[in-house]
Amino acid sequence: MANALLQHYVKLTEFLGQALGPDYEVALHDLTDKNRSIIAIANNHVSGREVGAPLTNVALQILMDKSYETQDYRLHYRGVSAAGKTLRSSTWFIKQNGKLIGMLCINFDDSRYHAVSENILQLCHPDHFVADLIQSGEPHAAGSAAHAVLSPTTESFHNSIDAVAGDAVGRELVRLGVTADRLTPDERMQIIASLETGGIFLLKGAVKDVADALHCSQASVYRYLSQIRKEDN
């Protein structure tokens, strides 16, 4: 059973979903269970998630950096749906007596409007001009800069813990330019340290999923974590 305060937000989630329309997903997270944090969601076709989906990488990062202690919300950061669509995301921090107990998130899919704007541009410009304009990303330049200032991390939406962990490991492998089977001990340490900072290990069972993605044993991950946490202390 969700916190009594969060119960009030369940109906609000439904209301906002209907009031804002099908391009806006509204998701309510209960932080009591980070592995199955979504307790209500409207227009879930936007991200492809269901009730019972885990916290996202951005939500975990917020828990680690404690930015909610000095902010009431986070606006207009970049998200990516399971289908690869770029979303504009915002999160309201739900607090009770100063403690963060939940998050109310709104994810806006503007792909329909991009299609309309491209069609309008094609009415008055040559096709190659429109193609060059869209590929260059010029219409989104100002927005992209704003997103970078507010939240440089892209939010990824998943329905399972192994997908959250696998996605986080995948981003680190791309950043280092290596594959999991060619990692050195130092590179593996770097990746696990980054995952620890990002809050991945707040999810129960994440150690196993990270170990699988890194092609190493769970004991190795625990050993790296122990060293990292000892150095931090």
mmCIF file of all heavy atoms in Angstrom, residues 58-83:
data_model
loop_
_atom_site.group_PDB
_atom_site.id
_atom_site.type_symbol
_atom_site.label_atom_id
_atom_site.label_comp_id
_atom_site.label_asym_id
_atom_site.label_seq_id
_atom_site.Cartn_x
_atom_site.Cartn_y
_atom_site.Cartn_z
ATOM 1 N N VAL A 58 18.115 8.532 -14.185
ATOM 2 C CA VAL A 58 18.106 9.911 -13.679
ATOM 3 C C VAL A 58 17.538 9.965 -12.265
ATOM 4 O O VAL A 58 18.065 10.671 -11.394
ATOM 5 C CB VAL A 58 17.318 10.839 -14.627
ATOM 6 C CG1 VAL A 58 17.030 12.181 -13.955
ATOM 7 C CG2 VAL A 58 18.097 11.067 -15.912
ATOM 8 N N ALA A 59 16.481 9.211 -12.001
ATOM 9 C CA ALA A 59 15.893 9.185 -10.660
ATOM 10 C C ALA A 59 16.894 8.639 -9.645
ATOM 11 O O ALA A 59 17.019 9.158 -8.524
ATOM 12 C CB ALA A 59 14.625 8.336 -10.657
ATOM 13 N N LEU A 60 17.617 7.599 -10.020
ATOM 14 C CA LEU A 60 18.634 7.036 -9.126
ATOM 15 C C LEU A 60 19.747 8.047 -8.864
ATOM 16 O O LEU A 60 20.249 8.175 -7.739
ATOM 17 C CB LEU A 60 19.224 5.760 -9.740
ATOM 18 C CG LEU A 60 18.259 4.564 -9.815
ATOM 19 C CD1 LEU A 60 18.837 3.477 -10.702
ATOM 20 C CD2 LEU A 60 17.966 4.013 -8.418
ATOM 21 N N GLN A 61 20.120 8.785 -9.903
ATOM 22 C CA GLN A 61 21.162 9.795 -9.751
ATOM 23 C C GLN A 61 20.710 10.906 -8.800
ATOM 24 O O GLN A 61 21.500 11.407 -7.985
ATOM 25 C CB GLN A 61 21.521 10.372 -11.118
ATOM 26 C CG GLN A 61 22.763 11.250 -11.133
ATOM 27 C CD GLN A 61 23.130 11.657 -12.538
ATOM 28 O OE1 GLN A 61 22.349 12.299 -13.243
ATOM 29 N NE2 GLN A 61 24.319 11.283 -12.973
ATOM 30 N N ILE A 62 19.427 11.269 -8.890
ATOM 31 C CA ILE A 62 18.875 12.294 -7.994
ATOM 32 C C ILE A 62 18.960 11.826 -6.543
ATOM 33 O O ILE A 62 19.279 12.611 -5.641
ATOM 34 C CB ILE A 62 17.424 12.611 -8.389
ATOM 35 C CG1 ILE A 62 17.402 13.410 -9.697
ATOM 36 C CG2 ILE A 62 16.705 13.379 -7.278
ATOM 37 C CD1 ILE A 62 16.011 13.574 -10.299
ATOM 38 N N LEU A 63 18.672 10.546 -6.307
ATOM 39 C CA LEU A 63 18.762 10.006 -4.944
ATOM 40 C C LEU A 63 20.191 10.060 -4.431
ATOM 41 O O LEU A 63 20.431 10.285 -3.239
ATOM 42 C CB LEU A 63 18.254 8.568 -4.912
ATOM 43 C CG LEU A 63 16.764 8.356 -5.172
ATOM 44 C CD1 LEU A 63 16.416 6.875 -5.086
ATOM 45 C CD2 LEU A 63 15.917 9.149 -4.183
ATOM 46 N N MET A 64 21.157 9.847 -5.331
ATOM 47 C CA MET A 64 22.560 9.841 -4.916
ATOM 48 C C MET A 64 23.093 11.253 -4.680
ATOM 49 O O MET A 64 23.810 11.496 -3.715
ATOM 50 C CB MET A 64 23.416 9.133 -5.972
ATOM 51 C CG MET A 64 23.145 7.631 -6.093
ATOM 52 S SD MET A 64 23.513 6.715 -4.568
ATOM 53 C CE MET A 64 25.304 6.812 -4.548
ATOM 54 N N ASP A 65 22.753 12.195 -5.574
ATOM 55 C CA ASP A 65 23.314 13.548 -5.416
ATOM 56 C C ASP A 65 22.491 14.424 -4.466
ATOM 57 O O ASP A 65 22.897 15.532 -4.119
ATOM 58 C CB ASP A 65 23.486 14.243 -6.775
ATOM 59 C CG ASP A 65 22.165 14.521 -7.507
ATOM 60 O OD1 ASP A 65 21.121 14.682 -6.845
ATOM 61 O OD2 ASP A 65 22.179 14.582 -8.749
ATOM 62 N N LYS A 66 21.293 13.892 -4.055
ATOM 63 C CA LYS A 66 20.433 14.581 -3.083
ATOM 64 C C LYS A 66 20.033 15.993 -3.531
ATOM 65 O O LYS A 66 19.808 16.894 -2.710
ATOM 66 C CB LYS A 66 21.109 14.645 -1.706
ATOM 67 C CG LYS A 66 21.399 13.276 -1.101
ATOM 68 C CD LYS A 66 21.940 13.388 0.315
ATOM 69 C CE LYS A 66 22.348 12.033 0.868
ATOM 70 N NZ LYS A 66 21.239 11.075 0.913
ATOM 71 N N SER A 67 19.945 16.194 -4.841
ATOM 72 C CA SER A 67 19.551 17.518 -5.346
ATOM 73 C C SER A 67 18.134 17.893 -4.911
ATOM 74 O O SER A 67 17.783 19.072 -4.860
ATOM 75 C CB SER A 67 19.650 17.544 -6.875
ATOM 76 O OG SER A 67 18.904 16.495 -7.459
ATOM 77 N N TYR A 68 17.325 16.893 -4.557
ATOM 78 C CA TYR A 68 15.957 17.157 -4.098
ATOM 79 C C TYR A 68 15.932 17.920 -2.780
ATOM 80 O O TYR A 68 14.904 18.495 -2.419
ATOM 81 C CB TYR A 68 15.190 15.843 -3.940
ATOM 82 C CG TYR A 68 15.812 14.876 -2.952
ATOM 83 C CD1 TYR A 68 15.554 14.976 -1.588
ATOM 84 C CD2 TYR A 68 16.678 13.874 -3.377
ATOM 85 C CE1 TYR A 68 16.136 14.107 -0.673
ATOM 86 C CE2 TYR A 68 17.261 12.996 -2.467
ATOM 87 C CZ TYR A 68 16.995 13.116 -1.129
ATOM 88 O OH TYR A 68 17.578 12.263 -0.235
ATOM 89 N N GLU A 69 17.055 17.931 -2.062
ATOM 90 C CA GLU A 69 17.098 18.642 -0.776
ATOM 91 C C GLU A 69 17.050 20.156 -0.975
ATOM 92 O O GLU A 69 16.608 20.885 -0.092
ATOM 93 C CB GLU A 69 18.351 18.251 0.004
ATOM 94 C CG GLU A 69 18.332 16.797 0.480
ATOM 95 C CD GLU A 69 19.547 16.435 1.309
ATOM 96 O OE1 GLU A 69 20.514 17.252 1.334
ATOM 97 O OE2 GLU A 69 19.558 15.354 1.920
ATOM 98 N N THR A 70 17.529 20.629 -2.125
ATOM 99 C CA THR A 70 17.562 22.074 -2.387
ATOM 100 C C THR A 70 16.641 22.475 -3.540
ATOM 101 O O THR A 70 16.546 23.656 -3.859
ATOM 102 C CB THR A 70 18.998 22.525 -2.721
ATOM 103 O OG1 THR A 70 19.482 21.765 -3.835
ATOM 104 C CG2 THR A 70 19.912 22.321 -1.522
ATOM 105 N N GLN A 71 15.985 21.492 -4.164
ATOM 106 C CA GLN A 71 15.091 21.783 -5.284
ATOM 107 C C GLN A 71 13.741 21.110 -5.045
ATOM 108 O O GLN A 71 13.672 20.081 -4.373
ATOM 109 C CB GLN A 71 15.683 21.257 -6.604
ATOM 110 C CG GLN A 71 17.043 21.841 -6.961
ATOM 111 C CD GLN A 71 17.658 21.124 -8.153
ATOM 112 O OE1 GLN A 71 17.054 20.240 -8.759
ATOM 113 N NE2 GLN A 71 18.875 21.510 -8.509
ATOM 114 N N ASP A 72 12.699 21.691 -5.589
ATOM 115 C CA ASP A 72 11.362 21.092 -5.506
ATOM 116 C C ASP A 72 11.009 20.321 -6.770
ATOM 117 O O ASP A 72 10.085 19.493 -6.758
ATOM 118 C CB ASP A 72 10.307 22.160 -5.253
ATOM 119 C CG ASP A 72 10.424 22.754 -3.855
ATOM 120 O OD1 ASP A 72 10.691 21.997 -2.908
ATOM 121 O OD2 ASP A 72 10.246 23.979 -3.730
ATOM 122 N N TYR A 73 11.726 20.581 -7.840
ATOM 123 C CA TYR A 73 11.452 19.910 -9.107
ATOM 124 C C TYR A 73 12.652 20.062 -10.042
ATOM 125 O O TYR A 73 13.559 20.870 -9.794
ATOM 126 C CB TYR A 73 10.206 20.505 -9.786
ATOM 127 C CG TYR A 73 10.207 22.020 -9.874
ATOM 128 C CD1 TYR A 73 10.922 22.688 -10.866
ATOM 129 C CD2 TYR A 73 9.503 22.788 -8.949
ATOM 130 C CE1 TYR A 73 10.934 24.065 -10.941
ATOM 131 C CE2 TYR A 73 9.499 24.164 -9.004
ATOM 132 C CZ TYR A 73 10.220 24.801 -10.013
ATOM 133 O OH TYR A 73 10.237 26.159 -10.075
ATOM 134 N N ARG A 74 12.642 19.278 -11.108
ATOM 135 C CA ARG A 74 13.647 19.382 -12.161
ATOM 136 C C ARG A 74 12.916 19.463 -13.493
ATOM 137 O O ARG A 74 12.063 18.632 -13.788
ATOM 138 C CB ARG A 74 14.595 18.182 -12.139
ATOM 139 C CG ARG A 74 15.681 18.250 -13.202
ATOM 140 C CD ARG A 74 16.704 17.145 -13.050
ATOM 141 N NE ARG A 74 17.480 17.315 -11.826
ATOM 142 C CZ ARG A 74 18.551 16.586 -11.533
ATOM 143 N NH1 ARG A 74 18.958 15.629 -12.352
ATOM 144 N NH2 ARG A 74 19.198 16.792 -10.413
ATOM 145 N N LEU A 75 13.274 20.478 -14.294
ATOM 146 C CA LEU A 75 12.517 20.754 -15.519
ATOM 147 C C LEU A 75 13.296 20.460 -16.798
ATOM 148 O O LEU A 75 14.516 20.647 -16.858
ATOM 149 C CB LEU A 75 12.107 22.230 -15.555
ATOM 150 C CG LEU A 75 11.063 22.707 -14.541
ATOM 151 C CD1 LEU A 75 10.930 24.221 -14.627
ATOM 152 C CD2 LEU A 75 9.726 22.034 -14.786
ATOM 153 N N HIS A 76 12.581 20.027 -17.807
ATOM 154 C CA HIS A 76 13.015 20.008 -19.204
ATOM 155 C C HIS A 76 14.374 19.344 -19.434
ATOM 156 O O HIS A 76 15.292 19.966 -19.967
ATOM 157 C CB HIS A 76 13.049 21.442 -19.756
ATOM 158 C CG HIS A 76 11.786 22.209 -19.534
ATOM 159 N ND1 HIS A 76 10.531 21.630 -19.663
ATOM 160 C CD2 HIS A 76 11.573 23.498 -19.160
ATOM 161 C CE1 HIS A 76 9.608 22.546 -19.404
ATOM 162 N NE2 HIS A 76 10.204 23.673 -19.083
ATOM 163 N N TYR A 77 14.489 18.093 -19.023
ATOM 164 C CA TYR A 77 15.702 17.347 -19.366
ATOM 165 C C TYR A 77 15.340 16.285 -20.397
ATOM 166 O O TYR A 77 14.168 15.990 -20.644
ATOM 167 C CB TYR A 77 16.354 16.737 -18.129
ATOM 168 C CG TYR A 77 15.464 15.852 -17.284
ATOM 169 C CD1 TYR A 77 15.365 14.497 -17.526
ATOM 170 C CD2 TYR A 77 14.728 16.395 -16.220
ATOM 171 C CE1 TYR A 77 14.550 13.686 -16.747
ATOM 172 C CE2 TYR A 77 13.912 15.589 -15.446
ATOM 173 C CZ TYR A 77 13.823 14.238 -15.711
ATOM 174 O OH TYR A 77 13.017 13.435 -14.952
ATOM 175 N N ARG A 78 16.347 15.724 -21.022
ATOM 176 C CA ARG A 78 16.131 14.835 -22.166
ATOM 177 C C ARG A 78 15.894 13.398 -21.724
ATOM 178 O O ARG A 78 16.617 12.867 -20.891
ATOM 179 C CB ARG A 78 17.349 14.896 -23.092
ATOM 180 C CG ARG A 78 17.212 14.104 -24.397
ATOM 181 C CD ARG A 78 18.422 14.367 -25.283
ATOM 182 N NE ARG A 78 18.297 13.702 -26.568
ATOM 183 C CZ ARG A 78 18.763 12.490 -26.823
ATOM 184 N NH1 ARG A 78 19.385 11.798 -25.870
ATOM 185 N NH2 ARG A 78 18.633 11.940 -28.019
ATOM 186 N N GLY A 79 14.872 12.787 -22.297
ATOM 187 C CA GLY A 79 14.610 11.373 -22.073
ATOM 188 C C GLY A 79 14.539 10.646 -23.404
ATOM 189 O O GLY A 79 14.381 11.277 -24.454
ATOM 190 N N VAL A 80 14.667 9.332 -23.377
ATOM 191 C CA VAL A 80 14.549 8.527 -24.590
ATOM 192 C C VAL A 80 13.631 7.353 -24.301
ATOM 193 O O VAL A 80 13.850 6.601 -23.342
ATOM 194 C CB VAL A 80 15.922 8.004 -25.069
ATOM 195 C CG1 VAL A 80 15.745 7.120 -26.301
ATOM 196 C CG2 VAL A 80 16.860 9.162 -25.397
ATOM 197 N N SER A 81 12.586 7.192 -25.104
ATOM 198 C CA SER A 81 11.625 6.113 -24.896
ATOM 199 C C SER A 81 12.223 4.784 -25.332
ATOM 200 O O SER A 81 13.270 4.729 -25.983
ATOM 201 C CB SER A 81 10.347 6.383 -25.689
ATOM 202 O OG SER A 81 10.586 6.188 -27.085
ATOM 203 N N ALA A 82 11.524 3.711 -24.994
ATOM 204 C CA ALA A 82 11.984 2.381 -25.393
ATOM 205 C C ALA A 82 12.046 2.257 -26.909
ATOM 206 O O ALA A 82 12.845 1.499 -27.455
ATOM 207 C CB ALA A 82 11.058 1.313 -24.810
ATOM 208 N N ALA A 83 11.201 3.022 -27.609
ATOM 209 C CA ALA A 83 11.176 2.987 -29.073
ATOM 210 C C ALA A 83 12.196 3.940 -29.687
ATOM 211 O O ALA A 83 12.296 4.043 -30.907
ATOM 212 C CB ALA A 83 9.781 3.335 -29.580
#
